[in-house]
PDB file of all heavy atoms in Angstrom:
ATOM      1  N   GLY C   1     -52.595  55.515 -74.579  1.00 94.00           N
ATOM      2  CA  GLY C   1     -52.728  56.956 -74.858  1.00 94.00           C
ATOM      3  C   GLY C   1     -52.715  57.169 -76.408  1.00 94.00           C
ATOM      4  O   GLY C   1     -53.438  57.998 -76.944  1.00 94.00           O
ATOM      5  N   ARG C   2     -51.694  56.490 -77.089  1.00 94.00           N
ATOM      6  CA  ARG C   2     -51.576  56.702 -78.502  1.00 94.00           C
ATOM      7  C   ARG C   2     -52.803  56.132 -79.271  1.00 94.00           C
ATOM      8  O   ARG C   2     -53.252  56.699 -80.240  1.00 94.00           O
ATOM      9  CB  ARG C   2     -50.222  56.046 -78.994  1.00 94.00           C
ATOM     10  CG  ARG C   2     -50.052  56.241 -80.479  1.00 94.00           C
ATOM     11  CD  ARG C   2     -50.087  57.653 -80.906  1.00 94.00           C
ATOM     12  NE  ARG C   2     -49.924  57.792 -82.413  1.00 94.00           N
ATOM     13  CZ  ARG C   2     -50.162  58.901 -83.108  1.00 94.00           C
ATOM     14  NH1 ARG C   2     -50.593  60.029 -82.411  1.00 94.00           N
ATOM     15  NH2 ARG C   2     -49.895  58.947 -84.399  1.00 94.00           N
ATOM     16  N   ALA C   3     -53.240  54.956 -78.753  1.00 95.00           N
ATOM     17  CA  ALA C   3     -54.470  54.391 -79.400  1.00 95.00           C
ATOM     18  C   ALA C   3     -55.665  55.299 -79.406  1.00 95.00           C
ATOM     19  O   ALA C   3     -56.347  55.531 -80.381  1.00 95.00           O
ATOM     20  CB  ALA C   3     -54.812  53.035 -78.677  1.00 95.00           C
ATOM     21  N   VAL C   4     -55.842  55.997 -78.222  1.00 96.00           N
ATOM     22  CA  VAL C   4     -56.979  56.950 -78.113  1.00 96.00           C
ATOM     23  C   VAL C   4     -56.718  58.147 -78.969  1.00 96.00           C
ATOM     24  O   VAL C   4     -57.617  58.677 -79.622  1.00 96.00           O
ATOM     25  CB  VAL C   4     -57.222  57.349 -76.642  1.00 96.00           C
ATOM     26  CG1 VAL C   4     -58.213  58.416 -76.551  1.00 96.00           C
ATOM     27  CG2 VAL C   4     -57.646  56.090 -75.833  1.00 96.00           C
ATOM     28  N   GLU C   5     -55.474  58.574 -79.044  1.00 95.00           N
ATOM     29  CA  GLU C   5     -55.085  59.743 -79.911  1.00 95.00           C
ATOM     30  C   GLU C   5     -55.421  59.399 -81.385  1.00 95.00           C
ATOM     31  O   GLU C   5     -55.902  60.323 -82.114  1.00 95.00           O
ATOM     32  CB  GLU C   5     -53.642  60.041 -79.708  1.00 95.00           C
ATOM     33  CG  GLU C   5     -53.172  61.360 -80.158  1.00 95.00           C
ATOM     34  CD  GLU C   5     -51.766  61.708 -79.704  1.00 95.00           C
ATOM     35  OE1 GLU C   5     -50.931  60.829 -79.583  1.00 95.00           O
ATOM     36  OE2 GLU C   5     -51.520  62.931 -79.512  1.00 95.00           O
ATOM     37  N   CYS C   6     -55.062  58.176 -81.855  1.00 95.00           N
ATOM     38  CA  CYS C   6     -55.417  57.797 -83.259  1.00 95.00           C
ATOM     39  C   CYS C   6     -56.920  57.837 -83.488  1.00 95.00           C
ATOM     40  O   CYS C   6     -57.435  58.238 -84.504  1.00 95.00           O
ATOM     41  CB  CYS C   6     -54.874  56.457 -83.527  1.00 95.00           C
ATOM     42  SG  CYS C   6     -53.022  56.403 -83.560  1.00 95.00           S
ATOM     43  N   ALA C   7     -57.715  57.388 -82.441  1.00 96.00           N
ATOM     44  CA  ALA C   7     -59.124  57.417 -82.603  1.00 96.00           C
ATOM     45  C   ALA C   7     -59.733  58.865 -82.667  1.00 96.00           C
ATOM     46  O   ALA C   7     -60.608  59.138 -83.500  1.00 96.00           O
ATOM     47  CB  ALA C   7     -59.760  56.653 -81.385  1.00 96.00           C
ATOM     48  N   LEU C   8     -59.159  59.774 -81.821  1.00 96.00           N
ATOM     49  CA  LEU C   8     -59.637  61.109 -81.777  1.00 96.00           C
ATOM     50  C   LEU C   8     -59.451  61.826 -83.195  1.00 96.00           C
ATOM     51  O   LEU C   8     -60.262  62.767 -83.587  1.00 96.00           O
ATOM     52  CB  LEU C   8     -59.004  61.898 -80.789  1.00 96.00           C
ATOM     53  CG  LEU C   8     -59.233  61.521 -79.293  1.00 96.00           C
ATOM     54  CD1 LEU C   8     -58.615  62.495 -78.298  1.00 96.00           C
ATOM     55  CD2 LEU C   8     -60.735  61.418 -79.037  1.00 96.00           C
ATOM     56  N   GLU C   9     -58.481  61.354 -83.869  1.00 95.00           N
ATOM     57  CA  GLU C   9     -58.169  61.951 -85.231  1.00 95.00           C
ATOM     58  C   GLU C   9     -59.316  61.762 -86.191  1.00 95.00           C
ATOM     59  O   GLU C   9     -59.443  62.482 -87.173  1.00 95.00           O
ATOM     60  CB  GLU C   9     -56.873  61.414 -85.814  1.00 95.00           C
ATOM     61  CG  GLU C   9     -55.617  61.860 -84.995  1.00 95.00           C
ATOM     62  CD  GLU C   9     -54.366  61.157 -85.524  1.00 95.00           C
ATOM     63  OE1 GLU C   9     -54.441  60.330 -86.471  1.00 95.00           O
ATOM     64  OE2 GLU C   9     -53.317  61.432 -84.974  1.00 95.00           O
ATOM     65  N   LEU C  10     -60.142  60.731 -85.901  1.00 96.00           N
ATOM     66  CA  LEU C  10     -61.239  60.374 -86.873  1.00 96.00           C
ATOM     67  C   LEU C  10     -62.563  61.136 -86.444  1.00 96.00           C
ATOM     68  O   LEU C  10     -63.555  61.033 -87.120  1.00 96.00           O
ATOM     69  CB  LEU C  10     -61.513  58.888 -86.865  1.00 96.00           C
ATOM     70  CG  LEU C  10     -60.255  58.063 -87.431  1.00 96.00           C
ATOM     71  CD1 LEU C  10     -60.703  56.633 -87.453  1.00 96.00           C
ATOM     72  CD2 LEU C  10     -59.904  58.485 -88.791  1.00 96.00           C
ATOM     73  N   LEU C  11     -62.583  61.774 -85.281  1.00 95.00           N
ATOM     74  CA  LEU C  11     -63.786  62.526 -84.918  1.00 95.00           C
ATOM     75  C   LEU C  11     -63.821  63.809 -85.601  1.00 95.00           C
ATOM     76  O   LEU C  11     -62.863  64.479 -85.912  1.00 95.00           O
ATOM     77  CB  LEU C  11     -63.715  62.818 -83.366  1.00 95.00           C
ATOM     78  CG  LEU C  11     -63.966  61.582 -82.441  1.00 95.00           C
ATOM     79  CD1 LEU C  11     -63.812  62.111 -80.971  1.00 95.00           C
ATOM     80  CD2 LEU C  11     -65.433  61.130 -82.628  1.00 95.00           C
ATOM     81  N   PRO C  12     -65.026  64.358 -85.893  1.00 92.00           N
ATOM     82  CA  PRO C  12     -65.083  65.657 -86.543  1.00 92.00           C
ATOM     83  C   PRO C  12     -64.451  66.711 -85.658  1.00 92.00           C
ATOM     84  O   PRO C  12     -64.490  66.618 -84.415  1.00 92.00           O
ATOM     85  CB  PRO C  12     -66.580  65.935 -86.583  1.00 92.00           C
ATOM     86  CG  PRO C  12     -67.261  64.523 -86.483  1.00 92.00           C
ATOM     87  CD  PRO C  12     -66.284  63.643 -85.681  1.00 92.00           C
ATOM     88  N   GLN C  13     -63.771  67.665 -86.279  1.00 88.00           N
ATOM     89  CA  GLN C  13     -63.038  68.670 -85.561  1.00 88.00           C
ATOM     90  C   GLN C  13     -63.962  69.470 -84.608  1.00 88.00           C
ATOM     91  O   GLN C  13     -63.502  70.051 -83.587  1.00 88.00           O
ATOM     92  CB  GLN C  13     -62.312  69.619 -86.535  1.00 88.00           C
ATOM     93  CG  GLN C  13     -61.112  68.959 -87.158  1.00 88.00           C
ATOM     94  CD  GLN C  13     -60.084  68.596 -86.177  1.00 88.00           C
ATOM     95  OE1 GLN C  13     -59.727  69.303 -85.311  1.00 88.00           O
ATOM     96  NE2 GLN C  13     -59.564  67.345 -86.307  1.00 88.00           N
ATOM     97  N   ASP C  14     -65.243  69.603 -84.961  1.00 89.00           N
ATOM     98  CA  ASP C  14     -66.173  70.448 -84.124  1.00 89.00           C
ATOM     99  C   ASP C  14     -66.904  69.513 -83.033  1.00 89.00           C
ATOM    100  O   ASP C  14     -67.748  70.013 -82.369  1.00 89.00           O
ATOM    101  CB  ASP C  14     -67.215  71.098 -85.029  1.00 89.00           C
ATOM    102  CG  ASP C  14     -67.980  70.128 -85.825  1.00 89.00           C
ATOM    103  OD1 ASP C  14     -67.713  68.897 -85.826  1.00 89.00           O
ATOM    104  OD2 ASP C  14     -68.996  70.492 -86.447  1.00 89.00           O
ATOM    105  N   PHE C  15     -66.478  68.264 -82.992  1.00 92.00           N
ATOM    106  CA  PHE C  15     -67.049  67.374 -81.880  1.00 92.00           C
ATOM    107  C   PHE C  15     -66.666  67.943 -80.557  1.00 92.00           C
ATOM    108  O   PHE C  15     -65.430  68.030 -80.286  1.00 92.00           O
ATOM    109  CB  PHE C  15     -66.647  65.946 -82.092  1.00 92.00           C
ATOM    110  CG  PHE C  15     -67.223  65.035 -81.031  1.00 92.00           C
ATOM    111  CD1 PHE C  15     -68.465  64.606 -81.166  1.00 92.00           C
ATOM    112  CD2 PHE C  15     -66.357  64.699 -79.956  1.00 92.00           C
ATOM    113  CE1 PHE C  15     -68.953  63.669 -80.203  1.00 92.00           C
ATOM    114  CE2 PHE C  15     -66.851  63.808 -78.991  1.00 92.00           C
ATOM    115  CZ  PHE C  15     -68.164  63.330 -79.116  1.00 92.00           C
ATOM    116  N   ASP C  16     -67.610  68.188 -79.708  1.00 89.00           N
ATOM    117  CA  ASP C  16     -67.286  68.771 -78.344  1.00 89.00           C
ATOM    118  C   ASP C  16     -67.964  68.072 -77.275  1.00 89.00           C
ATOM    119  O   ASP C  16     -68.272  68.567 -76.259  1.00 89.00           O
ATOM    120  CB  ASP C  16     -67.630  70.303 -78.239  1.00 89.00           C
ATOM    121  CG  ASP C  16     -69.137  70.552 -78.546  1.00 89.00           C
ATOM    122  OD1 ASP C  16     -69.901  69.505 -78.869  1.00 89.00           O
ATOM    123  OD2 ASP C  16     -69.544  71.671 -78.456  1.00 89.00           O
ATOM    124  N   GLY C  17     -68.291  66.743 -77.466  1.00 90.00           N
ATOM    125  CA  GLY C  17     -68.983  66.010 -76.578  1.00 90.00           C
ATOM    126  C   GLY C  17     -68.098  65.194 -75.581  1.00 90.00           C
ATOM    127  O   GLY C  17     -66.948  65.624 -75.235  1.00 90.00           O
ATOM    128  N   THR C  18     -68.559  64.058 -75.161  1.00 95.00           N
ATOM    129  CA  THR C  18     -67.923  63.205 -74.217  1.00 95.00           C
ATOM    130  C   THR C  18     -67.240  62.000 -74.955  1.00 95.00           C
ATOM    131  O   THR C  18     -67.901  61.418 -75.935  1.00 95.00           O
ATOM    132  CB  THR C  18     -68.892  62.705 -73.214  1.00 95.00           C
ATOM    133  OG1 THR C  18     -69.363  63.915 -72.536  1.00 95.00           O
ATOM    134  CG2 THR C  18     -68.232  61.844 -72.105  1.00 95.00           C
ATOM    135  N   VAL C  19     -66.134  61.579 -74.487  1.00 97.00           N
ATOM    136  CA  VAL C  19     -65.468  60.304 -75.065  1.00 97.00           C
ATOM    137  C   VAL C  19     -65.386  59.288 -74.048  1.00 97.00           C
ATOM    138  O   VAL C  19     -64.831  59.426 -72.907  1.00 97.00           O
ATOM    139  CB  VAL C  19     -64.060  60.652 -75.629  1.00 97.00           C
ATOM    140  CG1 VAL C  19     -63.371  59.391 -76.075  1.00 97.00           C
ATOM    141  CG2 VAL C  19     -64.148  61.731 -76.624  1.00 97.00           C
ATOM    142  N   VAL C  20     -65.971  58.076 -74.295  1.00 97.00           N
ATOM    143  CA  VAL C  20     -65.880  56.914 -73.435  1.00 97.00           C
ATOM    144  C   VAL C  20     -64.795  56.054 -74.000  1.00 97.00           C
ATOM    145  O   VAL C  20     -64.773  55.794 -75.203  1.00 97.00           O
ATOM    146  CB  VAL C  20     -67.215  56.163 -73.382  1.00 97.00           C
ATOM    147  CG1 VAL C  20     -67.060  54.900 -72.566  1.00 97.00           C
ATOM    148  CG2 VAL C  20     -68.323  57.072 -72.817  1.00 97.00           C
ATOM    149  N   VAL C  21     -63.974  55.470 -73.158  1.00 97.00           N
ATOM    150  CA  VAL C  21     -62.876  54.611 -73.632  1.00 97.00           C
ATOM    151  C   VAL C  21     -63.058  53.215 -72.912  1.00 97.00           C
ATOM    152  O   VAL C  21     -63.072  53.176 -71.688  1.00 97.00           O
ATOM    153  CB  VAL C  21     -61.470  55.074 -73.308  1.00 97.00           C
ATOM    154  CG1 VAL C  21     -60.386  54.131 -73.747  1.00 97.00           C
ATOM    155  CG2 VAL C  21     -61.251  56.489 -73.905  1.00 97.00           C
ATOM    156  N   THR C  22     -63.253  52.240 -73.782  1.00 97.00           N
ATOM    157  CA  THR C  22     -63.427  50.844 -73.209  1.00 97.00           C
ATOM    158  C   THR C  22     -62.384  49.959 -73.875  1.00 97.00           C
ATOM    159  O   THR C  22     -61.731  50.419 -74.743  1.00 97.00           O
ATOM    160  CB  THR C  22     -64.840  50.299 -73.407  1.00 97.00           C
ATOM    161  OG1 THR C  22     -65.024  50.053 -74.828  1.00 97.00           O
ATOM    162  CG2 THR C  22     -65.881  51.274 -72.918  1.00 97.00           C
ATOM    163  N   SER C  23     -62.373  48.620 -73.525  1.00 96.00           N
ATOM    164  CA  SER C  23     -61.419  47.682 -74.090  1.00 96.00           C
ATOM    165  C   SER C  23     -62.137  46.526 -74.805  1.00 96.00           C
ATOM    166  O   SER C  23     -63.117  46.068 -74.263  1.00 96.00           O
ATOM    167  CB  SER C  23     -60.462  47.234 -73.080  1.00 96.00           C
ATOM    168  OG  SER C  23     -59.681  48.204 -72.555  1.00 96.00           O
ATOM    169  N   GLY C  24     -61.602  46.026 -75.866  1.00 96.00           N
ATOM    170  CA  GLY C  24     -62.132  44.946 -76.605  1.00 96.00           C
ATOM    171  C   GLY C  24     -61.970  43.643 -75.863  1.00 96.00           C
ATOM    172  O   GLY C  24     -62.609  42.586 -76.265  1.00 96.00           O
ATOM    173  N   ASP C  25     -61.276  43.604 -74.741  1.00 95.00           N
ATOM    174  CA  ASP C  25     -61.022  42.330 -74.014  1.00 95.00           C
ATOM    175  C   ASP C  25     -61.717  42.395 -72.652  1.00 95.00           C
ATOM    176  O   ASP C  25     -61.412  41.697 -71.771  1.00 95.00           O
ATOM    177  CB  ASP C  25     -59.531  42.056 -73.769  1.00 95.00           C
ATOM    178  CG  ASP C  25     -58.785  43.113 -73.002  1.00 95.00           C
ATOM    179  OD1 ASP C  25     -59.390  44.144 -72.627  1.00 95.00           O
ATOM    180  OD2 ASP C  25     -57.539  42.967 -72.854  1.00 95.00           O
ATOM    181  N   VAL C  26     -62.709  43.348 -72.494  1.00 96.00           N
ATOM    182  CA  VAL C  26     -63.538  43.368 -71.278  1.00 96.00           C
ATOM    183  C   VAL C  26     -64.939  43.262 -71.777  1.00 96.00           C
ATOM    184  O   VAL C  26     -65.718  44.254 -71.893  1.00 96.00           O
ATOM    185  CB  VAL C  26     -63.335  44.801 -70.619  1.00 96.00           C
ATOM    186  CG1 VAL C  26     -64.145  44.827 -69.331  1.00 96.00           C
ATOM    187  CG2 VAL C  26     -61.843  44.940 -70.245  1.00 96.00           C
ATOM    188  N   PRO C  27     -65.409  42.027 -72.064  1.00 96.00           N
ATOM    189  CA  PRO C  27     -66.611  41.740 -72.695  1.00 96.00           C
ATOM    190  C   PRO C  27     -67.925  41.866 -71.921  1.00 96.00           C
ATOM    191  O   PRO C  27     -68.969  42.092 -72.440  1.00 96.00           O
ATOM    192  CB  PRO C  27     -66.475  40.285 -73.126  1.00 96.00           C
ATOM    193  CG  PRO C  27     -65.602  39.678 -72.131  1.00 96.00           C
ATOM    194  CD  PRO C  27     -64.630  40.815 -71.779  1.00 96.00           C
ATOM    195  N   LEU C  28     -67.884  41.820 -70.568  1.00 97.00           N
ATOM    196  CA  LEU C  28     -69.050  41.930 -69.752  1.00 97.00           C
ATOM    197  C   LEU C  28     -69.573  43.261 -69.337  1.00 97.00           C
ATOM    198  O   LEU C  28     -70.570  43.467 -68.688  1.00 97.00           O
ATOM    199  CB  LEU C  28     -68.933  41.027 -68.581  1.00 97.00           C
ATOM    200  CG  LEU C  28     -68.544  39.569 -68.739  1.00 97.00           C
ATOM    201  CD1 LEU C  28     -68.809  38.770 -67.456  1.00 97.00           C
ATOM    202  CD2 LEU C  28     -69.467  38.927 -69.842  1.00 97.00           C
ATOM    203  N   LEU C  29     -68.684  44.324 -69.655  1.00 97.00           N
ATOM    204  CA  LEU C  29     -69.127  45.661 -69.345  1.00 97.00           C
ATOM    205  C   LEU C  29     -70.472  45.995 -70.008  1.00 97.00           C
ATOM    206  O   LEU C  29     -70.646  45.787 -71.236  1.00 97.00           O
ATOM    207  CB  LEU C  29     -68.020  46.623 -69.817  1.00 97.00           C
ATOM    208  CG  LEU C  29     -68.260  48.099 -69.443  1.00 97.00           C
ATOM    209  CD1 LEU C  29     -68.189  48.289 -67.949  1.00 97.00           C
ATOM    210  CD2 LEU C  29     -67.187  49.010 -70.138  1.00 97.00           C
ATOM    211  N   ASP C  30     -71.411  46.476 -69.263  1.00 96.00           N
ATOM    212  CA  ASP C  30     -72.782  46.589 -69.774  1.00 96.00           C
ATOM    213  C   ASP C  30     -73.143  48.009 -69.998  1.00 96.00           C
ATOM    214  O   ASP C  30     -72.466  48.988 -69.603  1.00 96.00           O
ATOM    215  CB  ASP C  30     -73.793  45.870 -68.831  1.00 96.00           C
ATOM    216  CG  ASP C  30     -73.845  46.511 -67.455  1.00 96.00           C
ATOM    217  OD1 ASP C  30     -72.904  47.318 -67.120  1.00 96.00           O
ATOM    218  OD2 ASP C  30     -74.674  46.101 -66.663  1.00 96.00           O
ATOM    219  N   VAL C  31     -74.291  48.177 -70.670  1.00 96.00           N
ATOM    220  CA  VAL C  31     -74.818  49.538 -71.014  1.00 96.00           C
ATOM    221  C   VAL C  31     -75.079  50.331 -69.777  1.00 96.00           C
ATOM    222  O   VAL C  31     -74.783  51.484 -69.674  1.00 96.00           O
ATOM    223  CB  VAL C  31     -76.069  49.347 -71.863  1.00 96.00           C
ATOM    224  CG1 VAL C  31     -76.792  50.670 -72.036  1.00 96.00           C
ATOM    225  CG2 VAL C  31     -75.718  48.741 -73.258  1.00 96.00           C
ATOM    226  N   ALA C  32     -75.735  49.715 -68.762  1.00 96.00           N
ATOM    227  CA  ALA C  32     -76.162  50.459 -67.595  1.00 96.00           C
ATOM    228  C   ALA C  32     -74.956  51.106 -66.859  1.00 96.00           C
ATOM    229  O   ALA C  32     -75.039  52.218 -66.383  1.00 96.00           O
ATOM    230  CB  ALA C  32     -76.917  49.585 -66.671  1.00 96.00           C
ATOM    231  N   THR C  33     -73.838  50.340 -66.821  1.00 97.00           N
ATOM    232  CA  THR C  33     -72.658  50.894 -66.142  1.00 97.00           C
ATOM    233  C   THR C  33     -72.080  52.021 -66.890  1.00 97.00           C
ATOM    234  O   THR C  33     -71.734  53.111 -66.205  1.00 97.00           O
ATOM    235  CB  THR C  33     -71.633  49.782 -66.040  1.00 97.00           C
ATOM    236  OG1 THR C  33     -72.181  48.708 -65.190  1.00 97.00           O
ATOM    237  CG2 THR C  33     -70.356  50.288 -65.390  1.00 97.00           C
ATOM    238  N   ILE C  34     -71.974  51.985 -68.163  1.00 97.00           N
ATOM    239  CA  ILE C  34     -71.466  53.099 -68.942  1.00 97.00           C
ATOM    240  C   ILE C  34     -72.346  54.294 -68.885  1.00 97.00           C
ATOM    241  O   ILE C  34     -71.927  55.505 -68.681  1.00 97.00           O
ATOM    242  CB  ILE C  34     -71.145  52.654 -70.418  1.00 97.00           C
ATOM    243  CG1 ILE C  34     -70.151  51.530 -70.404  1.00 97.00           C
ATOM    244  CG2 ILE C  34     -70.684  53.817 -71.167  1.00 97.00           C
ATOM    245  CD1 ILE C  34     -69.902  50.973 -71.767  1.00 97.00           C
ATOM    246  N   GLN C  35     -73.648  54.018 -68.982  1.00 96.00           N
ATOM    247  CA  GLN C  35     -74.624  55.149 -68.899  1.00 96.00           C
ATOM    248  C   GLN C  35     -74.457  55.848 -67.596  1.00 96.00           C
ATOM    249  O   GLN C  35     -74.498  57.127 -67.577  1.00 96.00           O
ATOM    250  CB  GLN C  35     -76.114  54.619 -69.127  1.00 96.00           C
ATOM    251  CG  GLN C  35     -76.460  54.237 -70.435  1.00 96.00           C
ATOM    252  CD  GLN C  35     -77.875  53.759 -70.539  1.00 96.00           C
ATOM    253  OE1 GLN C  35     -78.327  53.186 -69.635  1.00 96.00           O
ATOM    254  NE2 GLN C  35     -78.464  53.965 -71.739  1.00 96.00           N
ATOM    255  N   SER C  36     -74.316  55.116 -66.456  1.00 96.00           N
ATOM    256  CA  SER C  36     -74.257  55.812 -65.196  1.00 96.00           C
ATOM    257  C   SER C  36     -72.934  56.558 -65.059  1.00 96.00           C
ATOM    258  O   SER C  36     -72.888  57.667 -64.472  1.00 96.00           O
ATOM    259  CB  SER C  36     -74.347  54.733 -64.053  1.00 96.00           C
ATOM    260  OG  SER C  36     -73.295  53.861 -64.131  1.00 96.00           O
ATOM    261  N   MET C  37     -71.889  56.096 -65.643  1.00 96.00           N
ATOM    262  CA  MET C  37     -70.661  56.839 -65.675  1.00 96.00           C
ATOM    263  C   MET C  37     -70.768  58.154 -66.449  1.00 96.00           C
ATOM    264  O   MET C  37     -70.369  59.207 -65.888  1.00 96.00           O
ATOM    265  CB  MET C  37     -69.522  56.005 -66.304  1.00 96.00           C
ATOM    266  CG  MET C  37     -68.869  54.960 -65.495  1.00 96.00           C
ATOM    267  SD  MET C  37     -67.545  54.152 -66.403  1.00 96.00           S
ATOM    268  CE  MET C  37     -66.287  55.511 -66.347  1.00 96.00           C
ATOM    269  N   VAL C  38     -71.349  58.060 -67.605  1.00 96.00           N
ATOM    270  CA  VAL C  38     -71.459  59.246 -68.415  1.00 96.00           C
ATOM    271  C   VAL C  38     -72.471  60.298 -67.761  1.00 96.00           C
ATOM    272  O   VAL C  38     -72.120  61.532 -67.749  1.00 96.00           O
ATOM    273  CB  VAL C  38     -72.038  58.865 -69.849  1.00 96.00           C
ATOM    274  CG1 VAL C  38     -72.337  60.163 -70.662  1.00 96.00           C
ATOM    275  CG2 VAL C  38     -71.018  58.051 -70.607  1.00 96.00           C
ATOM    276  N   GLU C  39     -73.493  59.858 -67.168  1.00 95.00           N
ATOM    277  CA  GLU C  39     -74.448  60.725 -66.548  1.00 95.00           C
ATOM    278  C   GLU C  39     -73.774  61.390 -65.345  1.00 95.00           C
ATOM    279  O   GLU C  39     -73.915  62.580 -65.125  1.00 95.00           O
ATOM    280  CB  GLU C  39     -75.685  59.975 -66.101  1.00 95.00           C
ATOM    281  CG  GLU C  39     -76.591  59.511 -67.256  1.00 95.00           C
ATOM    282  CD  GLU C  39     -77.631  58.512 -66.884  1.00 95.00           C
ATOM    283  OE1 GLU C  39     -77.692  58.136 -65.670  1.00 95.00           O
ATOM    284  OE2 GLU C  39     -78.448  58.107 -67.769  1.00 95.00           O
ATOM    285  N   ALA C  40     -73.045  60.573 -64.544  1.00 96.00           N
ATOM    286  CA  ALA C  40     -72.313  61.217 -63.354  1.00 96.00           C
ATOM    287  C   ALA C  40     -71.245  62.121 -63.772  1.00 96.00           C
ATOM    288  O   ALA C  40     -70.999  63.191 -63.148  1.00 96.00           O
ATOM    289  CB  ALA C  40     -71.797  60.100 -62.470  1.00 96.00           C
ATOM    290  N   HIS C  41     -70.580  61.863 -64.887  1.00 96.00           N
ATOM    291  CA  HIS C  41     -69.497  62.688 -65.415  1.00 96.00           C
ATOM    292  C   HIS C  41     -70.064  63.982 -65.905  1.00 96.00           C
ATOM    293  O   HIS C  41     -69.533  65.079 -65.514  1.00 96.00           O
ATOM    294  CB  HIS C  41     -68.849  61.945 -66.628  1.00 96.00           C
ATOM    295  CG  HIS C  41     -67.784  62.694 -67.283  1.00 96.00           C
ATOM    296  ND1 HIS C  41     -66.487  62.764 -66.884  1.00 96.00           N
ATOM    297  CD2 HIS C  41     -67.864  63.515 -68.430  1.00 96.00           C
ATOM    298  CE1 HIS C  41     -65.815  63.489 -67.735  1.00 96.00           C
ATOM    299  NE2 HIS C  41     -66.609  63.986 -68.647  1.00 96.00           N
ATOM    300  N   ASN C  42     -71.131  63.996 -66.673  1.00 94.00           N
ATOM    301  CA  ASN C  42     -71.701  65.254 -67.172  1.00 94.00           C
ATOM    302  C   ASN C  42     -72.381  66.053 -66.088  1.00 94.00           C
ATOM    303  O   ASN C  42     -72.276  67.244 -66.017  1.00 94.00           O
ATOM    304  CB  ASN C  42     -72.740  64.885 -68.258  1.00 94.00           C
ATOM    305  CG  ASN C  42     -72.080  64.305 -69.473  1.00 94.00           C
ATOM    306  OD1 ASN C  42     -70.921  64.574 -69.799  1.00 94.00           O
ATOM    307  ND2 ASN C  42     -72.887  63.559 -70.289  1.00 94.00           N
ATOM    308  N   ALA C  43     -73.116  65.312 -65.180  1.00 94.00           N
ATOM    309  CA  ALA C  43     -73.763  66.113 -64.081  1.00 94.00           C
ATOM    310  C   ALA C  43     -72.820  66.812 -63.168  1.00 94.00           C
ATOM    311  O   ALA C  43     -73.081  67.918 -62.718  1.00 94.00           O
ATOM    312  CB  ALA C  43     -74.581  65.077 -63.262  1.00 94.00           C
ATOM    313  N   GLY C  44     -71.576  66.255 -62.970  1.00 94.00           N
ATOM    314  CA  GLY C  44     -70.659  66.884 -62.111  1.00 94.00           C
ATOM    315  C   GLY C  44     -69.661  67.795 -62.836  1.00 94.00           C
ATOM    316  O   GLY C  44     -68.811  68.415 -62.136  1.00 94.00           O
TER     317      GLY C  44
END
């Protein structure tokens, strides 16, 4: 939680989009999976 909080501090204050959180030790996570997550998240 603190790691993400530190990252958010670097986003522009007016950023009002979506934040995806992944890990540097999960190397096989692919573009299609994240895209489908974001699309389902925004659509719902």
Side-chain angles (χ1 to χ4, degrees):
R2 180 55 182 167
V4 174
E5 198 169 29
C6 293
L8 295 185
E9 292 173 1
L10 299 183
L11 286 175
Q13 288 299 313
D14 60 352
F15 178 81
D16 60 355
T18 300
V19 176
V20 177
V21 179
T22 68
S23 295
D25 61 0
V26 182
L28 302 191
L29 184 64
D30 62 352
V31 170
T33 298
I34 299 175
Q35 282 180 333
S36 64
M37 282 185 71
V38 173
E39 290 167 359
H41 176 87
N42 291 337

